[in-house]
């Protein structure tokens, strides 16, 4: 059994009660979550988050072998935090990959044991659901067992509206073409007070949640993200996680929650300071404690940096995403330390072992591919 540090002399009665709830595997309330954000310090949060992870995952930390395809950075939307998209009218350094170019990316991995391709990009006004379904079919024909995790709810919402399909029709169509699961992007901050200021024109919270709920009803799993550390307050973060927790109670379809740290380079929010490392670790730990029905919490190392991702393993994180192989630009364009994000399996395993955890290579749905503990 875990050695429970006795905080009783140094912490308030309310925090003490939260600690007792966590050690009794009881759910904490929104008010308690807010209190953790406002009043708990890192050692306290670390002990609670670690306890939860030990009970659920023992010492295991997961990663996978994956790569990304980013079909285009042309986007009809204009999220203020985005350094990646280029408005259609000003496409000097925009890109649009053809189906053949994207298949060539897949073929590059023919002799490598990757298990997942993550497809995500801007919302191009001319790319249709048929274009993407054709891409999915061709990828599956070439490599039937490669798991395709593709398209944020923002991209899907636009595709379905353009095709005049309901969410269920659109998702079934893509699923039949080869789509296996949905990534967690596009969630940002659900609360309208913030959403209106940072990404006014794209799918709202209700639409995002409906797409994920429908995907779950079709037996497709998905992830959920939250873009934190900009103009939102703790109250907005709690509201965001509350909506995710409620949907997860209903569907159990989310695999992983991924807090995404806001990076401020070359975007319309460049005057907003980035969060500190203390704030980052607090975010991971509070998420682990509040989201008791989410199996996994992921640190997306290309955005956070590998050192901080390693530290997060002591604050509730049990998933490090994957090898990536320098196939994404979203974060390097927004100022992340990792300008060419790529880690070999050996590097990931070492990073996890240095944190005294057991590295486990997984597939997208957390089936074990290889145990590297020994
Ligand atoms: O929704 C864009 C974020 C997301 C910035 O499901 C930014 O496994 C920080 O969702 N600073 C897309 N973040 C990426 C995404 C994702 C990534 C890795 C794994 C998974 C998964 C999903 O990127 C967007 C937005 O929240 N983003 N710009 C920025 N300046
Ligand atoms: Fe477009 Fe996504 Fe960037 Fe928003 S975050 S502008 S939807 S690419």
């Amino acid at each position: 059994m875990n050695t429970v540090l006795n905080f009783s002399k140094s912490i308030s009665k309310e925090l003490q009660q939260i600690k007792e709830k966590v050690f009794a595997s009881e759910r904490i309330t929104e008010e308690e979550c807010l209190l953790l954000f406002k009043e708990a310090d890192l050692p306290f949060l670390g002990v609670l988050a670690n306890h939860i992870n030990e009970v659920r995952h023992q010492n295991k930390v997961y990663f996978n072998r994956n790569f990304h395809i980013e079909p285009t950075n042309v986007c009809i939307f204009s999220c203020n935090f985005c350094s990646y998209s280029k408005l259609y009218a000003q496409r000097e350094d925009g890109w649009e990959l053809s189906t053949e170019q994207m298949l060539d990316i897949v073929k590059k991995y023919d002799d490598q044991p990757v298990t997942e391709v993550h497809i995500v990009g801007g919302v191009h006004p001319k790319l249709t659901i048929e274009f993407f379904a054709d891409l999915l079919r061709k990828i599956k024909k070439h490599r039937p067992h490669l798991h395709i995790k593709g398209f944020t709810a923002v991209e899907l919402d636009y595709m379905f509206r353009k095709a005049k399909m309901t969410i269920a029709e659109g998702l079934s169509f893509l699923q039949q073409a080869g789509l296996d699961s949905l990534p967690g992007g596009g969630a940002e901050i659900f609360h309208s007070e913030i959403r209106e200021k940072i990404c006014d024109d794209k799918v709202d919270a209700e639409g995002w949640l409906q797409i994920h709920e429908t995907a779950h009803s079709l037996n497709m799993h998905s992830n959920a993200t939250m873009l934190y550390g900009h103009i939102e307050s703790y109250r907005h973060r709690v509201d965001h996680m509350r909506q995710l927790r409620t949907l997860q109670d209903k569907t159990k379809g989310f695999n992983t929650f991924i807090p995404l740290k806001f990076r401020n380079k070359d975007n319309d929010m460049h005057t907003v300071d980035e969060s500190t490392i203390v704030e980052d670790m607090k975010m991971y730990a509070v998420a682990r404690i509040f989201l008791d029905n989410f199996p996994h919490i992921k640190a997306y190392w290309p955005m956070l940096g590998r050192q901080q991702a390693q530290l997060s393993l002591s604050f509730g994180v049990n998933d490090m995403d994957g090898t990536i192989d320098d196939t994404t630009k979203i974060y390097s364009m927004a100022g992340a330390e990792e300008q060419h994000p790529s880690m070999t399996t050996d590097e990931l395993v070492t990073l996890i072992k240095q944190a005294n955890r057991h590295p486990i290579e997984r597939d997208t749905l957390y089936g074990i591919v290889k145990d590297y503990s020994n």
Side-chain angles (χ1 to χ4, degrees):
M1 188 58 206
N2 221 294
T3 318
V4 183
L5 298 180
N6 186 358
F7 289 104
S8 53
K9 291 200 183 75
S10 54
I11 62 166
S12 66
K13 205 173 107 229
E14 289 79 12
L15 288 179
Q16 186 69 27
Q17 277 167 358
I18 295 176
K19 186 194 90 181
E20 279 158 21
K21 271 190 165 180
V22 170
F23 279 87
S25 300
E26 286 171 25
R27 175 167 278 193
I28 67 163
T29 65
E30 286 164 65
E31 293 69 33
E32 288 168 332
C33 185
L34 197 56
L35 196 77
L36 286 179
F37 271 129
K38 285 184 174 163
E39 291 186 14
D41 62 15
L42 277 191
F44 177 81
L45 291 171
V47 169
L48 266 51
N50 263 310
H51 169 76
I52 297 169
N53 265 354
E54 270 177 35
V55 170
R56 291 186 169 205
H57 303 294
Q58 300 73 51
N59 234 355
K60 298 191 197 94
V61 170
Y62 296 92
F63 68 92
N64 72 352
R65 295 201 207 200
N66 64 351
F67 63 98
H68 287 222
I69 295 178
E70 296 180 348
T72 179
N73 66 339
V74 173
C75 189
I76 56 163
F77 297 119
S78 43
C79 305
N80 291 336
F81 54 80
C82 184
S83 320
Y84 168 83
S85 71
K86 293 284 155 215
L87 288 178
Y88 196 53
Q90 333 159 335
R91 290 176 17 205
E92 325 83 50
D93 56 350
W95 71 82
E96 293 172 36
L97 301 183
S98 65
T99 305
E100 284 62 40
Q101 285 172 314
M102 292 191 262
L103 275 174
D104 283 344
I105 298 177
V106 176
K107 287 176 188 165
K108 249 181 65 188
Y109 294 90
D110 276 357
D111 57 353
Q112 293 183 42
V114 290
T115 54
E116 174 192 283
V117 55
H118 178 169
I119 306 179
V120 64
V123 179
H124 192 299
K126 295 210 172 130
L127 297 182
T128 60
I129 195 165
E130 284 80 16
F131 173 83
F132 287 113
D134 178 58
L135 172 70
L136 295 170
R137 279 186 217 106
K138 286 184 169 144
I139 294 176
K140 282 288 179 186
K141 187 162 179 232
H142 182 73
R143 194 159 174 173
H145 299 298
L146 185 66
H147 182 108
I148 307 180
K149 179 175 79 177
F151 314 120
T152 63
V154 178
E155 294 165 271
L156 294 171
D157 173 66
Y158 183 78
M159 264 186 237
F160 301 161
R161 281 192 289 116
K162 200 173 154 76
K164 297 195 171 26
M165 286 176 165
T166 63
I167 297 173
E169 286 165 353
L171 278 172
S172 303
F173 182 67
L174 292 175
Q175 189 179 29
Q176 276 161 31
L179 185 64
D180 294 301
S181 68
L182 308 190
E188 323 311 358
I189 289 284
F190 288 146
H191 201 293
S192 58
E193 279 170 14
I194 300 300
R195 206 168 181 87
E196 278 165 12
K197 292 191 182 125
I198 64 170
C199 53
D200 194 21
D201 48 0
K202 70 185 185 187
V203 69
D204 62 9
E206 204 190 333
W208 191 99
L209 289 160
Q210 258 175 19
I211 287 176
H212 283 257
E213 181 169 358
T214 311
H216 299 169
S217 75
L218 294 169
N219 286 324
M220 293 167 98
H221 282 272
S222 72
N223 292 335
T225 57
M226 176 171 74
L227 181 72
Y228 75 93
H230 43 91
I231 59 167
E232 89 289 3
S233 65
Y234 289 144
R235 177 170 67 81
H236 299 117
R237 293 188 200 176
V238 175
D239 173 75
H240 189 96
M241 293 195 291
R242 193 250 320 149
Q243 300 204 49
L244 291 174
R245 191 169 79 169
T246 304
L247 179 55
Q248 179 73 335
D249 276 341
K250 207 165 149 189
T251 66
K252 299 188 176 43
F254 289 116
N255 280 331
T256 312
F257 180 62
I258 313 160
L260 292 171
K261 174 193 175 88
F262 164 68
R263 308 301 308 237
N264 67 6
K265 188 175 159 231
D266 287 341
N267 56 50
D268 291 345
M269 289 166 69
H270 62 273
T271 55
V272 176
D273 287 339
E274 291 181 357
S275 54
T276 61
I277 186 167
V278 171
E279 198 55 43
D280 296 334
M281 297 306 125
K282 183 189 274 194
M283 182 63 241
Y284 286 112
V286 175
R288 179 59 290 165
I289 297 164
F290 183 74
L291 292 173
D292 60 344
N293 54 5
F294 270 66
H296 307 285
I297 305 288
K298 180 190 283 189
Y300 187 55
W301 64 265
M303 165 271 285
L304 196 62
R306 54 189 83 185
Q307 307 271 337
Q308 298 204 21
Q310 188 184 44
L311 184 63
S312 73
L313 301 180
S314 299
F315 291 92
V317 167
N318 73 305
D319 189 289
M320 294 273 284
D321 199 84
T323 44
I324 314 276
D325 204 24
D326 194 13
T327 47
T328 176
K329 294 194 179 142
I330 300 180
Y331 290 101
S332 50
M333 289 174 90
E337 290 76 13
E338 302 279 348
Q339 283 302 297
H340 295 284
S342 178
M343 268 209 260
T344 61
T345 306
D346 279 355
E347 285 174 317
L348 266 167
V349 165
T350 304
L351 206 74
I352 295 168
K353 281 191 170 171
Q354 284 168 343
N356 224 0
R357 300 289 192 270
H358 296 321
I360 307 284
E361 184 185 338
R362 61 164 174 87
D363 60 23
T364 309
L365 303 179
Y366 291 83
I368 295 184
V369 175
K370 187 168 173 187
D371 184 341
Y372 289 84
S373 334
N374 299 312

